[in-house]
Amino acid sequence: MNTTMSAWVDAHGALLLCILGSVLATLLPKVLPVTFLRGDSLPALLRHWLSFVPVAVMAALVGPDVLFYEGRFNIGASNLFLVVSLPALLVAWWGRNYFATIAFGIGLVILARWLGWY
Amino acid sequence: MSSSVTASPATEGLRRALPIVLGYVPVGFAFGVLAVKNHIPPSLAVAMAVLMFSGSGQFVFASLWGAGAGILSVTAAVFIVNLRYLLMSAAESPWLARLPRGRRFLLGLGLTDETFAVHITALQGGWPLSPATMFICNSTTHLAWVTGCAVGAFCGELVNDVRPLGLDYALTAMFLALLVPQCVSRLHVLVALFTAVLSIALKAAGMSQWNVAVATVLGASLGVLLLHIRRGPGLNTPDAAGGNEARPAQSASPEVRP
């Protein structure tokens, strides 16, 4: 048992180290600011700056999600996610209903694929 | 998202988790399949899902590892992709300032793009700060992520194409649904458009590990810059534009309302 264990560790030593490094590179950015920043006494300028982070980070994430379809930049009608996202944005804007927007978007994707358009 | 402020922490936590779970299971599945293809044993792929809980970080790891990159370059790439967590974690800190440090640490561990987005939107929408709700949501989505990764890693060949279920669009739809209520003023709409276009352009230019962090830093900076240049009525107070922006507890920020 011990020899198979150490053989396994030997075989995957580099991978284990790499995972350890990547776990640190992931968890430290997640926990350090919220654990150690005194969020209620930050300078006003920084607090204003941070108040724009949610809208900015969501836009930065969703923009490429919509315009890169199947790994490629695509602003044509062959980009299903772009075609679906335009009416989904309208539903989000007018309906102001979180679950309705998600159901509408997923529903359109299912429909388009079921009809064989995409 | 503020229809029933009286819901129990468990109900509200699960409600917040639901669309994220729909998206995480298939994306986690895809990671499991990719990891095994890139010479990562299934057990370690699952360990990564448990310990990292980061979609983009894990995908970067698997593709670089498969391409034969060294330990330092994989770790550095993962760190660069995860720079945005620094920003999100800092942006959450004013809202969580009242909690003891241990709880803030615990909630920080469960931070992902998606959990950050739902929690911050709920807090801005007036939901009371509830660590139990946040923790239940984070744990449920983490479990879904690990489950998806495990199924993909151990029995990826058993499951057929999930695309007909439309779930590869679930997280995008969720971000659209959360981004729109963020746009509480023309200034916020401008920041959103600027940041989205910049992020797309950076990714198209090949900066696919930097694009989110760089675009977010520049987008938030543009917002502050315009806010301070034009302190006229309507621009400096998002709530004056008909928004529902609630300030973090204990920061009555008089400087925003001259």
Side-chain angles (χ1 to χ4, degrees):
Chain A
M1 186 63 201
N2 251 341
T3 49
T4 37
M5 187 82 170
S6 66
W8 188 85
V9 170
D10 283 348
H12 298 295
L15 179 57
L16 287 171
L17 263 183
C18 200
I19 290 177
L20 179 70
S22 299
V23 167
L24 289 178
T26 303
L27 294 189
L28 293 181
K30 285 190 187 190
V31 298
L32 286 184
V34 76
T35 307
F36 293 106
L37 272 187
R38 289 190 43 88
D40 48 355
S41 56
L42 297 173
L45 186 66
L46 180 58
R47 213 162 51 215
H48 285 162
W49 192 83
L50 289 176
S51 78
F52 283 102
V53 164
V55 65
V57 81
M58 287 185 216
L61 287 165
V62 80
D65 273 2
V66 170
L67 288 193
F68 285 75
Y69 185 61
E70 291 173 340
R72 278 195 313 277
F73 180 72
N74 182 349
I75 44 168
S78 60
N79 179 346
L80 171 61
F81 286 1
L82 177 60
V83 169
V84 169
S85 294
L86 296 176
L89 264 180
L90 289 183
V91 170
W93 190 260
W94 295 115
R96 297 262 165 194
N97 183 320
Y98 175 63
F99 283 103
T101 306
I102 296 168
F104 176 81
I106 295 179
L108 271 192
V109 169
I110 294 172
L111 183 69
R113 284 179 178 156
W114 184 72
L115 291 173
W117 293 350
Y118 287 90
Chain B
M1 279 185 84
S2 51
S3 50
S4 56
V5 179
T6 50
S8 77
T11 313
E12 171 59 10
L14 294 176
R15 218 171 73 96
R16 278 185 210 174
L18 176 65
I20 306 180
V21 167
L22 286 183
Y24 274 7
V25 171
V27 176
F29 175 83
F31 168 77
V33 172
L34 181 80
V36 171
K37 243 186 235 167
N38 285 295
H39 320 296
I40 297 172
S43 55
L44 290 181
V46 175
M48 286 173 65
V50 172
L51 297 172
M52 289 173 71
F53 191 22
S54 162
S56 40
Q58 288 174 228
F59 274 101
V60 165
F61 184 111
S63 44
L64 287 181
W65 181 259
I71 295 175
L72 275 183
S73 47
V74 173
T75 308
V78 169
F79 182 69
I80 292 165
V81 169
N82 289 340
L83 281 176
R84 67 185 190 287
Y85 290 144
L86 282 174
L87 304 171
M88 301 189 313
S89 179
E92 230 174 43
S93 68
W95 297 94
L96 304 187
R98 277 193 287 135
L99 299 178
R101 182 160 287 168
R103 292 213 185 153
R104 301 207 302 269
F105 174 81
L106 205 61
L107 292 175
L109 286 178
L111 179 84
T112 65
D113 299 332
E114 291 77 18
T115 58
F116 169 78
V118 294
H119 294 323
I120 211 85
T121 304
L123 289 165
Q124 288 169 341
W127 277 84
L129 174 61
S130 163
T133 297
M134 295 175 72
F135 187 73
I136 288 165
C137 172
N138 294 354
S139 309
T140 308
T141 54
H142 198 165
L143 185 67
W145 177 247
V146 172
T147 306
C149 289
V151 174
F154 283 104
C155 31
E157 72 285 354
L158 296 182
V159 181
N160 287 320
D161 194 5
V162 294
R163 283 163 27 103
L165 298 177
L167 293 181
D168 49 336
Y169 187 69
L171 295 178
T172 308
M174 192 194 85
F175 274 118
L176 286 178
L178 290 170
L179 180 62
V180 166
Q182 286 291 328
C183 296
V184 290
S185 72
R186 270 184 299 171
L187 179 55
H188 285 75
V189 174
L190 190 67
V191 168
L193 285 174
F194 171 82
T195 315
V197 169
L198 186 59
S199 173
I200 292 161
L202 289 172
K203 181 165 178 170
M207 288 179 65
S208 59
Q209 288 160 19
W210 287 95
N211 67 318
V212 174
V214 170
T216 301
V217 166
L218 293 177
S221 303
L222 175 76
V224 168
L225 194 69
L226 294 178
L227 185 73
H228 281 252
I229 287 176
R230 306 181 56 185
R231 302 203 103 207
L235 256 180
N236 51 352
T237 56
D239 19 14
N244 54 351
E245 172 141 299
R247 286 275 140 199
Q250 293 180 344
S251 63
S253 54
E255 68 283 353
V256 198
R257 299 175 178 79

